[in-house]
Amino acid sequence: MKPIQQIWPEPFAERYRAAGYWRGETFPAMLRRQSEERPDAVAIVDGARRWTYRDLHRRAEAHAAGFLKLGLAPGERVLVQLGNVAEFFSAVFGLFRARLVPVYSLPAHRLTEVVHLARRSEAAAYIACDDYDAFDYRALGRELKAEVPGLRNVIIAGDPQEHLPLDGCVAEAAGLPADPEPSSVAFLQISGGSTGLPKLIPRTHDDYIYSCRASNEICGVSDRSVYLVALPAAHNFPMSSPGHFGALHAGARVVLAASANPETAFALIERERVTITGLVPPLALLWMKAAERKTHDLSSLDVLLVGGAKFLPEAARRVRPTLGCTLQQVFGMAEGLVNYTRLGDPDEIVINTQGRPISPDDDVRVVDDDGNSVADGTPGHLLARGPYTIRAYHDDPAANDRSFTPDGYYRTGDVVRRLPGGYIEVLGRAGDHINRAGEKISAEEVEDHLLAHPDVFDAALVSIPDPSLGERSCAFVIAQKEGMKPSTLKAWMRQRGIAAFKVPDQIVFVDRFATTAAGKVSRKELRAQLRDDFLTSSRENPA
Ligand code: AMP
Ligand code: DBH
């Protein structure tokens, strides 16, 4: 088994400890502390289920012992693909307590993604819901086990069929190992990434808890807060910005929404007196529109965080008038760096910028193509290093070479402008990925799938501006045969076992791709050119 680690050079680690960012806290210790300080406070609300901090702690301890009894050994990795259900928390805190390492997968992932994550992390077990959002994860678990021989156990929340029931993975908590080291990796988070399949991001207890704790301060989260998890719980944004882990760190209440649609979410806001939540821009637009009908009492909502993709100023301006709460823009990434507009910031800042970094020790640089710093106000590539930004992905030397500078900065891939006060405006990105409503899609990965079709000669995937999604994906395809239809190719993509958000929104068949005089064109240039041609021609022919 390859070791999992995340190492900052010692002088940096020393400074982060001395400055009080890394305090030696761990996730198991955090939950134990809450269960002692506020045993009867409600920690998790999932439909009619309400778990107090004591309940959550007891369940996590019992699972920790149960997982070890199954034969899972401390240090082993466990792929977790649970929806927004209470079991996400008992299972993940159980894994932390047993020194097992959760690897997060999103509910939208299908066989291709889970096989990749399980192989790359060398996962020994898989934990999923029986059925979630009309998809049967038991069948997925069956296929996964067949594909990845090292994966020994499939554990299911709900009706397990032939698999192991999560409910049954419990044992007497006596004899559990000591808490993990604060500097050890707590879990593998995943990156949407711009090339290929998701990359694995090792985050330590120290660094991640710091980002949650500091986010709480910036977003005003206290033990009186109620945080609604509207986005998928495994995503870095609702997990840490300030997210459900931030909320639990503060002793607040976490309310789980099975769907982020306004009908479901508004009813929960009213019932649970939700004070804070986070959304991607297309959902924020939907909520603002739905709120005009005033069907529910949203008066408890203090703060709405919007991020994951650019929230346009015109939309940002409408948050307070429609939803009656304060907007915080958040620009973050699973690799670390998170920026927020602050609660007291003037409207101009909140509406027009994506915020400024959490930490005084977030070292951000904006550079030109040659790596030289550019003046404030000038667009450039954003680089970051700091007390909660990783220095390396897990087991991916090629990505590490591309994504980190020799002196340890993470190349975010984002093109930004730095404004007075250190605020950042996101202008776009350098890499070829599509940011579809906050879901990052790698052009390369989808092109690879398209090329696997026997009648596809070549394919290029590009992003097209979209009024509701922000961006949608458009595949330009050269077919080998006449008469192929976009709907047939889409249907074929859908059954390839990939997350549905990766299926191109639009497919345009073309006869050939233009090449330069030398007969060569990089895929990057090709995509840019196809996109520009498409946008120009659709302006000329608005039909
Ligand atoms: P990931 O690496 O999958 O966690 O995705 C992080 C990326 O999402 C960032 O590098 C940005 O490209 C994008 N992103 C996140 N928040 C924002 C935002 N508020 N505005 C624009 N882009 C964002
Ligand atoms: O898009 C993201 O990955 C993201 C957005 C906002 C994120 O990871 C975060 C806040 O922490």
Side-chain angles (χ1 to χ4, degrees), residues 35-349:
S35 77
E36 286 163 7
E37 285 178 9
R38 58 186 94 244
D40 298 314
V42 173
I44 306 287
V45 179
D46 172 5
R49 293 192 289 173
R50 307 177 83 77
W51 291 355
T52 63
Y53 277 95
R54 184 198 284 116
D55 295 335
L56 177 58
H57 178 250
R58 281 194 185 147
R59 285 172 188 270
E61 295 268 307
H63 278 321
F67 294 146
L68 294 174
K69 201 169 156 195
L70 261 186
L72 294 170
E76 283 198 303
R77 275 75 87 162
V78 176
L79 188 58
V80 176
Q81 191 179 25
L82 290 161
N84 289 3
V85 293
E87 287 84 355
F88 178 91
F89 296 89
S90 53
V92 164
F93 276 97
L95 294 170
F96 293 151
R97 183 66 185 88
R99 304 177 77 134
L100 290 156
V101 181
V103 183
Y104 299 128
S105 173
L106 297 170
H109 288 155
R110 294 295 178 260
L111 190 63
T112 307
E113 291 93 4
V114 293
V115 165
H116 164 76
L117 295 172
R119 287 209 179 114
R120 190 52 72 86
S121 66
E122 303 169 276
Y126 169 70
I127 305 181
C129 288
D130 49 3
D131 194 293
Y132 188 78
D133 220 2
F135 183 78
D136 188 342
Y137 292 89
R138 293 165 297 203
L140 185 58
R142 206 169 293 140
E143 293 175 84
L144 173 65
K145 208 171 164 192
E147 293 267 333
V148 184
L151 192 137
R152 307 191 296 272
N153 304 117
V154 172
I155 302 168
I156 298 291
D159 170 10
Q161 295 175 341
E162 83 271 29
H163 305 300
L164 295 168
L166 178 63
D167 273 356
C169 284
V170 288
E172 191 55 49
L176 282 173
D179 283 348
E181 289 299 317
S183 60
S184 69
V185 170
F187 50 75
L188 293 174
Q189 185 49 280
I190 59 174
S191 142
S194 50
T195 51
L197 284 156
K199 294 185 278 288
L200 295 175
I201 300 172
R203 300 288 304 258
T204 65
H205 294 269
D206 262 338
D207 93 75
Y208 208 77
I209 290 178
Y210 166 54
S211 81
C212 295
R213 195 178 63 228
S215 295
N216 281 346
E217 203 158 304
I218 291 168
C219 306
V221 172
S222 73
D223 59 358
R224 292 180 307 281
S225 300
V226 181
Y227 181 86
L228 181 75
V229 187
L231 297 170
H235 192 281
N236 198 63
F237 173 14
M239 182 174 286
S240 65
S241 298
H244 51 72
F245 282 166
L248 294 176
H249 188 276
R253 179 181 308 174
V254 171
V255 176
L256 300 169
S259 153
N261 68 37
E263 301 84 83
T264 307
F266 286 7
L268 283 170
I269 293 173
E270 181 176 273
R271 187 184 93 187
E272 299 294 333
R273 307 294 297 159
V274 167
T275 63
I276 176 167
T277 188
L279 294 176
V280 291
L283 284 170
L285 294 178
L286 212 60
W287 282 31
M288 291 195 288
K289 194 163 161 50
E292 287 167 6
R293 295 198 302 275
K294 300 210 183 311
T295 51
H296 292 88
D297 175 10
L298 305 180
S299 61
S300 59
L301 195 64
D302 276 336
V303 174
L304 175 67
L305 292 132
V306 179
K310 174 99 171 210
F311 196 37
L312 295 172
E314 270 319 301
R317 224 181 283 283
R318 293 195 345 253
V319 168
R320 182 175 288 288
T322 53
L323 293 166
C325 62
T326 302
L327 167 68
Q328 271 189 300
Q329 293 214 40
V330 52
F331 160 44
M333 52 210 74
E335 286 83 353
L337 181 69
V338 179
N339 304 273
Y340 295 100
T341 58
R342 303 308 202 254
L343 289 174
D345 277 346
D347 282 355
E348 278 321 290
I349 296 272

Side-chain angles (χ1 to χ4, degrees), residues 352-406:
N352 295 306
T353 83
Q354 280 62 59
R356 61 180 163 90
I358 288 180
S359 176
D361 270 291
D362 279 323
D363 174 4
V364 300
R365 294 184 61 206
V366 183
V367 302
D368 63 19
D369 290 344
D370 301 321
N372 303 311
S373 293
V374 300
D376 278 6
T378 308
H381 306 280
L382 177 67
L383 308 180
R385 66 183 189 188
Y388 59 98
T389 298
I390 60 163
R391 297 290 186 127
Y393 293 108
H394 175 62
D395 187 27
D396 200 338
N400 285 336
D401 279 351
R402 269 197 316 273
S403 304
F404 297 89
T405 67

